[in-house]
Amino acid sequence: MTVTTAATDEYELYVDGQWVSGSDTLAVDDLADGGVFARVATADERRVETALQAAARAQSAMADATIVERMRWLDGIAAAIDDHADELAEVVVREAGKPIASAESEVAAAAERFRRAAGEARDVQGEYVEGTTPGHEGWNAIVEPRPVGTVLCIAPYNYPLATTALQVAPALAAGNSVLLKPSSKTPVCAVVLARLIDEATDLPAGGVNVLPGPSSTIGNALAGDDRIDAIAMTGSSAAGERVARESGMVTLHMELGGNAPAIVFPDADLAAAAADCAKGSFKFAGQRCSAISRILAHESVHDDFVDLLAAGLDDWQPGPLFDHDTAVGPLITEDHAAWVAELVTDAVDRGATLVAGGERDGRRFEPTLLADVPRDARILYEEQFGPVAAVTPIGSEADAVELANADDLGLDASVFTDDHDRAMRVAEAVDAGAVRINGAPSHGLGDIPFGGVGASGIGREGLGYTIESFLTTKSIVL
């Protein structure tokens, strides 16, 4: 429930189909106008226990819901998001610092993900299997898909609605109960979504529970509880490792950190590649796991490519967040802006050329272009999550692959070349969950599997793929 005060909106917890108070509140900063725009109740261990019990009680009703019922829930949520698109977009702008045009796109994507999950739910079908082992020729079995039980969804700050949809929609499509823990930096979207679910559907009480709160207070209590059957998480690699240590024997579905390389060969369409790399580096101030974090440009075109990037920087300048022409906003916190500044300073100190940008003002960090980044610069190996295009020269295809694979992150990559055989050869050699040919990393609304290798995660996001990971089977042998 929302209570509007003279200064801010105040939001309660959503547990067991009820709006309840919390042990404390989170003050949510307004990244558009400054100050605090909302206060959100936080859960303590007592509320966590209540939510865990509620989710467990709801499992039977959730599992028994027919596919038609689940589709109706999902379509109803999608319609409710559409009906409240302006409200949700404003929340995304204020709590995540996303420019309004990007925020509107995120809201539309969230609605479409629930809608597509309804379509995917039609395919949650069983099998009739005949025995093929000698001596078992007359055996038959009905193989039923069954929900795993309770899914803990841990959502990130950078896409507080769209990524939440990519976790919650498949969990509901599979017939699971859900515990949603939003980022403490951006909890309002999750609470508004809970209100829409409550108003637009007849989900069993406890089918969806929303528990904002600091990870240090409730994170371990949630992830380590044996009533959790699956965890869907988007976040940093370090946070994912902590959750994995706590979770025990559950299904883990984690999309974690990225440090995507873009490899640019001399035969590429350099102008198009520069535009794609700029978008990949600067969109949402680089606060995307799939952002292009390092550009590996062949030494014969390195300088020309840097010039093309520099010429396009005017298209990626900060501005008022509610202006539809604004392309770049602030970083989520001043501490994170300081981290990006640290990586840029390290690169310059080691010999990189600061072509443009590099200035920081509080949360804001200028879109920055670095050239001739040396191989010992930290920014080539550590996730920056900021608006920095770091260009380094490569001498050959083998050199490019070696550098692309030199860190422990393997979420995304891009290859720019006009040579089909080279594109496929390099794409196969780069150690990443997805490689885009002649374009910035992109995975659609959930139709293409998204996930990494190494420290970048476990499993694959994508509506149908995620539904499958939130199901188990029961075989009834006849």
Side-chain angles (χ1 to χ4, degrees):
M1 183 173 67
T2 310
V3 178
T4 301
T5 66
T8 63
D9 287 341
E10 298 183 359
Y11 297 86
E12 293 182 305
L13 306 172
Y14 186 66
V15 176
D16 199 14
Q18 302 292 323
W19 295 100
V20 296
S21 61
S23 58
D24 202 348
T25 58
L26 288 168
V28 183
D29 291 342
D30 187 338
L31 301 194
D33 296 329
V36 173
F37 95 95
R39 297 186 184 277
V40 178
T42 60
D44 57 13
E45 291 188 359
R46 179 173 65 92
R47 290 299 191 200
V48 167
E49 176 61 26
T50 301
L52 285 164
Q53 291 179 9
R57 285 195 303 270
Q59 283 181 8
S60 178
M62 295 293 291
D64 289 344
T66 66
I67 290 175
V68 173
E69 288 176 299
R70 297 176 198 174
M71 290 171 60
R72 187 171 66 246
W73 295 338
L74 295 162
D75 282 331
I77 297 168
I81 292 173
D82 285 336
D83 290 344
H84 294 81
D86 290 344
E87 174 190 359
L88 285 163
E90 180 178 352
V91 170
V92 172
V93 171
R94 294 193 185 281
E95 70 175 349
K98 190 168 289 190
I100 183 63
S102 294
E104 290 170 345
S105 295
E106 175 168 351
V107 174
E112 183 63 16
R113 282 172 168 167
F114 276 101
R115 203 171 289 118
R116 290 191 178 207
E120 293 283 353
R122 291 190 180 93
D123 295 329
V124 181
Q125 302 285 338
E127 293 182 284
Y128 185 79
V129 179
E130 296 185 25
T132 58
T133 306
H136 293 171
E137 294 89 347
W139 289 30
N140 297 288
I142 298 170
V143 182
E144 297 180 345
R146 302 291 293 171
V148 294
T150 294
V151 178
L152 170 61
C153 298
I154 303 175
Y157 71 78
N158 57 337
Y159 285 87
L161 188 63
T163 298
T164 297
L166 196 54
Q167 297 173 344
V168 173
L172 295 179
N176 294 288
S177 299
V178 171
L179 295 175
L180 171 59
K181 188 206 170 299
S183 167
S184 295
K185 299 179 181 71
T186 55
V188 180
C189 276
V191 183
V192 173
L193 179 62
R195 189 195 81 212
L196 300 183
I197 291 172
D198 184 65
E199 294 173 351
T201 74
D202 58 354
L203 255 78
V208 170
N209 306 270
V210 179
L211 298 169
S215 296
S216 58
T217 303
I218 65 172
N220 290 348
L222 284 166
D225 195 280
D226 60 10
R227 287 165 290 185
I228 297 294
D229 301 292
I231 299 175
M233 175 183 177
T234 300
S236 70
S237 296
E241 289 173 2
R242 287 195 298 271
V243 169
R245 284 196 298 269
E246 291 292 329
S247 63
M249 295 179 63
V250 304
T251 299
L252 293 177
H253 191 78
M254 294 184 165
E255 188 268 287
L256 304 176
N259 189 28
I263 303 172
V264 182
F265 290 103
D267 60 349
D269 181 334
L270 296 184
D276 283 329
C277 285
K279 180 179 181 180
S281 295
F282 302 135
K283 181 181 177 182
F284 189 31
Q287 295 174 111
R288 299 176 297 116
C289 294
S290 60
I292 291 176
S293 301
R294 48 204 174 120
I295 301 170
L296 287 48
H298 193 273
E299 59 193 11
S300 66
V301 297
H302 173 280
D303 292 352
D304 290 341
F305 196 73
V306 169
D307 289 344
L308 287 167
L309 285 169
L313 274 175
D314 287 345
D315 295 332
W316 296 98
Q317 293 307 306
L321 292 182
F322 284 102
D323 185 336
H324 276 82
D325 292 329
T326 296
V328 178
L331 295 174
I332 191 69
T333 63
E334 291 193 22
D335 285 347
H336 187 64
W339 164 254
V340 176
E342 178 182 327
L343 291 179
V344 170
T345 298
D346 172 79
V348 173
D349 288 347
R350 294 175 188 271
T353 300
L354 179 61
V355 178
E359 294 297 319
R360 175 193 161 212
D361 181 11
R363 286 185 171 94
R364 291 191 177 271
F365 197 90
E366 282 186 303
T368 297
L369 175 58
L370 298 174
D372 290 303
V373 178
R375 295 294 174 94
D376 60 349
R378 291 166 53 198
I379 201 166
L380 295 180
Y381 310 99
E382 300 180 36
E383 184 177 32
Q384 50 157 301
F385 230 56
V388 182
V391 189
T392 189
I394 52 154
S396 65
E397 183 178 311
D399 185 31
V401 170
E402 181 179 3
L403 181 55
N405 292 342
D407 65 0
D408 60 351
L409 297 171
L411 188 61
D412 270 298
S414 291
V415 178
F416 294 90
T417 178
D418 195 42
D419 184 329
H420 176 270
D421 290 342
R422 171 190 276 161
M424 295 304 296
R425 191 166 58 242
V426 173
E428 293 288 354
V430 170
D431 199 14
V435 180
R436 178 89 184 273
I437 307 299
N438 292 325
S442 181
H443 312 89
L445 291 170
D447 42 335
I448 297 173
F450 177 42
V453 298
S456 287
I458 301 171
R460 293 293 178 267
E461 287 185 340
L463 295 170
Y465 300 93
T466 306
I467 290 171
E468 289 180 8
S469 70
F470 291 161
L471 289 168
T472 186
T473 60
K474 175 181 285 187
S475 297
I476 302 173
V477 182
L478 307 176

